[in-house]
Amino acid sequence: MSLNLSKGQAINLQKSDGGTLTAVRMGLGWQAAPRRGLLGRRSREIDLDASAVVFADKQPVDVVFFQHLVSDDGSVRHTGDNLVGGAGQGGDDEAILVDLQRVPVHVDQIVFTVNSFTGQSFAEVQNAFCRLVDETNGQELARYTLTGGGQYTAQVMAKVHRQGSGWQMTAIGEPANGRTFQDLLPALIPYL
């Protein structure tokens, strides 16, 4: 059973049987909002990019994004760049897989971001979401609807972070501006 998360809400990443999750997928889906034009309603292609910034003691130590698909240690992997979206409320347009058992012990959190590489604002995006899936069985654990309509070009989506001997996910959902994850680094600081 999936849980719809609100901004700032956190969930413990334990399985219902009490075991801990070993691998999760952070999925991102979106659609271009239709626009009225001279020839009727049509959608413009929008290139959103999912990134995962890996932190150790509040310092970025690695990043996974469309130009660096696998973390240096191999524990975080991007499935590839989608230039137009289209899944909307269905499947994922981009996904980042995290093998929680392989994440080095010095890494304490992984922050997921989304940005409009082509510079369109989120006012031009609809049905955008991020979701966390148990990669071992495909069960959706949590879904966070990314609110659209703003004039921002990026969002700090969520983070997974160590909590005791396990992991926890927190929905952040904070708007920001930037075309790349590098542009967003200052916006991540308050959430570490």
Side-chain angles (χ1 to χ4, degrees), residues 87-105:
Q89 294 180 348
D92 304 328
D93 291 313
E94 291 193 10
I96 298 175
L97 308 168
V98 181
D99 183 341
L100 295 169
Q101 293 180 315
R102 290 184 62 192
V103 174
V105 293

Side-chain angles (χ1 to χ4, degrees), residues 149-173:
Q151 291 304 313
Y152 50 91
T153 59
Q155 191 157 127
V156 182
M157 293 192 314
K159 71 175 182 175
V160 282
H161 52 100
R162 292 190 190 271
Q163 184 72 27
S165 61
W167 290 87
Q168 186 171 17
M169 175 191 167
T170 302
I172 298 170

Side-chain angles (χ1 to χ4, degrees), residues 93-180:
D93 291 313
E94 291 193 10
I96 298 175
L97 308 168
V98 181
D99 183 341
L100 295 169
Q101 293 180 315
R102 290 184 62 192
V103 174
V105 293
H106 71 282
V107 170
D108 53 11
Q109 50 195 321
I110 302 167
V111 180
F112 299 94
T113 65
V114 59
N115 53 276
S116 173
F117 186 74
T118 46
Q120 293 100 335
S121 75
F122 272 44
E124 299 178 64
V125 178
Q126 68 181 8
N127 299 329
F129 67 86
C130 67
R131 66 189 191 126
L132 193 70
V133 176
D134 180 342
E135 192 61 15
T136 61
N137 63 15
Q139 179 184 1
E140 184 175 289
L141 303 169
R143 177 177 286 258
Y144 178 62
T145 301
L146 301 170
T147 55
Q151 291 304 313
Y152 50 91
T153 59
Q155 191 157 127
V156 182
M157 293 192 314
K159 71 175 182 175
V160 282
H161 52 100
R162 292 190 190 271
Q163 184 72 27
S165 61
W167 290 87
Q168 186 171 17
M169 175 191 167
T170 302
I172 298 170
E174 190 61 36
N177 282 298
R179 293 181 55 236
T180 66

